[in-house]
Amino acid sequence: MQTINLAQKLSLFNEHWKPHIVGELNGQLVKLGKFKGPFTWHHHENEDELFLVVKGRFRMDFREAGKDREVWLEEGEMIIVPRGTEHRPFADEECHVLLFEPASTLNTGNVENEFTLKDLERV
Amino acid sequence: MQTINLAQKLSLFNEHWKPHIVGELNGQLVKLGKFKGPFTWHHHENEDELFLVVKGRFRMDFREAGKDREVWLEEGEMIIVPRGTEHRPFADEECHVLLFEPASTLNTGNVENEFTLKDLERV
């Protein structure tokens, strides 16, 4: 049982769109990610996903019932994306984000492409 | 699906040791709490608990195998307390904390006393 310092953990990797695991509890993972540019559109069939902005800001794009919508998230703000919701994060500048989601969650959900990560690293 | 601003949510209540629910996902709750003074010693039989300091700092006291230990948590730091671990948060000054834990978690775990909350409020 150790203290986890978010800034220190974030200093240990630089890749964008490659969240690293920093904790695990109750079958859920806590991850830290660095976002920059557009991610890929996707949804998660069975998992809700939490995004909390630690530094910077990013935009979450949604497609709900054919309607597009976007939400900007600033530092100290979070959003919970319910399972089944088509979404795409986008950051104009590098943004640091804490994610909370089930251990079973694949980063690109129902999509498999160059963003897909099968094995996450821990820091 | 809405943006949740932690500081704004924290401005909506003042009670110490009375976490308020700000989100729910995958059977887990996200809560915000204001800590001040000593809480009660307790453990959770079946739930791991995450504490992330949003503002200020607090100390987590542990009793493990008869040995006492304490850890100070500063802003931007978190700790995961595994199920079964006897613990007691303490804050010398008011501290704002984000908690992640299963919806089933009772704040005082195995103990029932004046700190016990049966119904949490949402903000």
Side-chain angles (χ1 to χ4, degrees):
Chain A
M1 191 167 20
Q2 305 186 48
T3 303
I4 298 157
N5 182 299
L6 302 187
Q8 187 267 333
K9 292 293 187 190
L10 281 157
S11 76
L12 300 177
F13 67 97
N14 289 312
E15 306 96 318
H16 298 140
W17 305 120
K18 194 177 172 187
H20 283 57
I21 300 167
V22 297
E24 184 159 11
L25 71 162
N26 308 301
Q28 317 288 310
L29 293 178
V30 185
K31 303 171 190 171
L32 288 171
K34 295 188 173 182
F35 293 1
K36 191 171 181 190
F39 194 60
T40 190
W41 280 104
H42 67 287
H43 70 266
H44 304 277
E45 212 60 65
N46 299 305
E47 294 110 346
D48 313 318
E49 226 178 357
L50 182 151
F51 299 80
L52 169 63
V53 179
V54 175
K55 191 174 169 191
R57 63 177 205 150
F58 78 98
R59 193 184 74 206
M60 189 67 89
D61 299 334
F62 298 104
R63 283 186 186 144
E64 297 170 289
K67 255 188 20 190
D68 279 18
R69 192 163 78 90
E70 53 180 60
V71 174
W72 277 98
L73 288 142
E74 310 287 332
E75 209 167 298
E77 292 186 339
M78 66 181 212
I79 199 163
I80 295 170
V81 179
R83 58 195 70 190
T85 303
E86 204 71 21
H87 61 286
R88 177 186 63 178
F90 166 83
D92 50 359
E93 305 278 344
E94 184 176 276
C95 177
H96 298 174
V97 178
L98 183 146
L99 297 100
F100 187 60
E101 53 196 7
S104 57
T105 308
L106 184 66
N107 66 328
T108 54
N110 63 314
V111 172
E112 197 159 320
N113 60 22
E114 72 278 14
F115 286 110
T116 303
L117 299 170
K118 297 270 167 111
D119 294 298
L120 292 187
E121 291 172 28
R122 287 171 192 267
V123 283
Chain B
M1 191 169 18
Q2 305 185 49
T3 303
I4 298 157
N5 182 299
L6 302 188
Q8 188 267 331
K9 292 294 188 190
L10 281 158
S11 75
L12 300 177
F13 67 97
N14 289 311
E15 305 95 318
H16 297 141
W17 305 120
K18 194 177 172 187
H20 283 58
I21 299 168
V22 296
E24 184 160 8
L25 71 163
N26 308 302
Q28 317 289 309
L29 292 178
V30 187
K31 303 172 191 172
L32 288 171
K34 295 188 173 182
F35 293 0
K36 191 170 181 191
F39 194 59
T40 190
W41 280 104
H42 68 287
H43 70 268
H44 304 277
E45 212 60 67
N46 299 305
E47 294 110 345
D48 313 318
E49 225 178 359
L50 182 151
F51 300 81
L52 169 64
V53 178
V54 175
K55 192 175 168 192
R57 63 177 206 149
F58 79 99
R59 194 184 73 208
M60 189 68 88
D61 299 334
F62 297 104
R63 282 187 188 145
E64 297 170 290
K67 253 186 23 187
D68 281 17
R69 192 162 78 90
E70 53 180 60
V71 174
W72 277 98
L73 287 141
E74 309 288 333
E75 210 166 299
E77 292 187 338
M78 66 182 210
I79 198 163
I80 295 171
V81 179
R83 59 196 69 190
T85 304
E86 204 69 21
H87 62 286
R88 178 187 62 177
F90 166 82
D92 50 358
E93 306 279 342
E94 183 175 276
C95 177
H96 298 174
V97 178
L98 183 146
L99 297 102
F100 282 128
E101 52 197 9
S104 58
T105 309
L106 183 67
N107 66 327
T108 53
N110 62 315
V111 172
E112 198 160 320
N113 61 20
E114 71 278 14
F115 287 110
T116 303
L117 300 169
K118 296 272 166 107
D119 294 299
L120 292 187
E121 292 171 26
R122 286 171 192 267
V123 285

